[in-house]
Amino acid sequence: MAEKDVIIIGGGLAGTATAFYLAQDGVSVTLIERGGLGGEASGANAGSLHAQIPADPFRHLGEAWARQFQPALTLYVESLRMWGSLEAELGTDLEIKFGGGLMVATSESEMAELARKAEIERAAGLEIQLLTREETRRRAPYLSDRAIGGAFCPQEGKANPLLVAPAYARAATRLGAEILSAQGNATITREATHYTVTANNQTHRARRIVIAGGTGTPALLEMLGLQLAIQAFPIQVSVTEPATPFIPHLVYCAGEKLTMKQTRIGSVLIGGGWNARIDPRGRPVVDSDSLASNLALACAVVPGVASLTLLRTWAAFVNGTADWLPILGPLPGSPGAFINYVPWLGFSGGPAAARALADMVQGRTPSVAADFAAFAPK
Ligand SMILES: Cc1cc2nc3c(=O)[nH]c(=O)nc-3n(C[C@H](O)[C@H](O)[C@H](O)COP(=O)(O)OP(=O)(O)OC[C@H]3O[C@@H](n4cnc5c(N)ncnc54)[C@H](O)[C@@H]3O)c2cc1C
């Protein structure tokens, strides 16, 4: 049983990116994934690189919540900056494009909300342009007349989620990390000075472990006698046949659940967090009522999608927290154990969170500028 400096459990974006940044710093790493790399949320997501404050919690939790969310906003801004050089760093095409994100308002009250949100966003370093109806029409002629204005953020964009976790894992492997997939569920045992992780009839040992299990995190924490307020919700995304490029932006709505973007090959991804169902075996499956509502909304906001054929809809569990804040850092009462858990927008925030966590594991102040005290596991 060869001992490594760090064992990471979970081969989504959080785990593979942490493995890469640790390996880049010369730390020896074994990553253990129960299934395929990026096989859960990290590969099933909609590929939006977001940073604007999500409209739904802003409306329901209020401005006081948005101010508490500000450290996360800073993390997302840092992360989008890192996405900008990620292809060069990992040496591969990830289909990243920063066409800007347009949050569309369909009423004056939504426009007023966007303006209040923009103040908090700008304070965190986001560039937000509030657009009138005419400016919105000029910038986004593909929108219907329902759009009466919007908030445009040029830093936002998209990437292909199918490519990212495997690319991080390949780059980490090149730097010497051991990446083990298809291992089945790992279990953790705490010893006096070490952690023992068992999976696929093999035992791995290290003084430090990183839990990056996404929605599988609660079961892993339980093995350390810990419980954190972690949530999981089944949601779904759809993809159309390829079309001539006509949506250059990441589009979302201030008042309703909708995100849309066009992939490099021209397919339109339609999502927004619509509920899927859970089947009797506990797996997420597509809900047809949600699908009908999601598509009707997409056609109402971007009429050009109405003539496209839908190719596929899929469902997956998204990881959440009630306050939308990440949980990042050393786990209480478990010396040497760390967690990397970015809820809701974990694709967007993944690079910065992993870079910061890799620093914390090495006992360093994070090189990413954000208030990490706000994310400390409690
Ligand atoms: C449908 C959908 C759309 C989304 N859209 C977006 C978006 O557009 N933009 C955005 O920023 N975010 C989006 N998200 C959220 C984002 O995908 C997640 O927040 C992010 O991928 C979480 O990454 P992760 O690595 O923490 O978790 P995961 O990707 O879930 O990875 C965790 C890994 O840990 C493994 N694991 C768990 N337990 C064990 C164990 N005991 N042993 C071994 N392995 C284990 C799992 O198999 C899994 O591969 C979306 C999510 C979903 C589901």
Side-chain angles (χ1 to χ4, degrees), residues 20-21 29 31 34 133 160 179 181 187 208 313 360 369:
F20 170 74
Y21 294 117
V29 175
L31 179 149
R34 63 183 169 196
R133 183 193 287 266
N160 185 337
I179 307 284
S181 57
T187 57
R208 284 165 288 171
T313 303
M360 291 184 208

Side-chain angles (χ1 to χ4, degrees), residues 30-49:
T30 293
L31 179 149
I32 299 168
E33 163 56 45
R34 63 183 169 196
L37 297 169
E40 299 201 8
S42 294
N45 68 62
S48 311
L49 300 179

Side-chain angles (χ1 to χ4, degrees), residues 224-238:
L224 299 174
L226 293 170
Q227 257 190 327
L228 298 176
I230 278 171
Q231 305 173 328
F233 300 94
I235 59 170
Q236 57 194 48
V237 184
S238 299

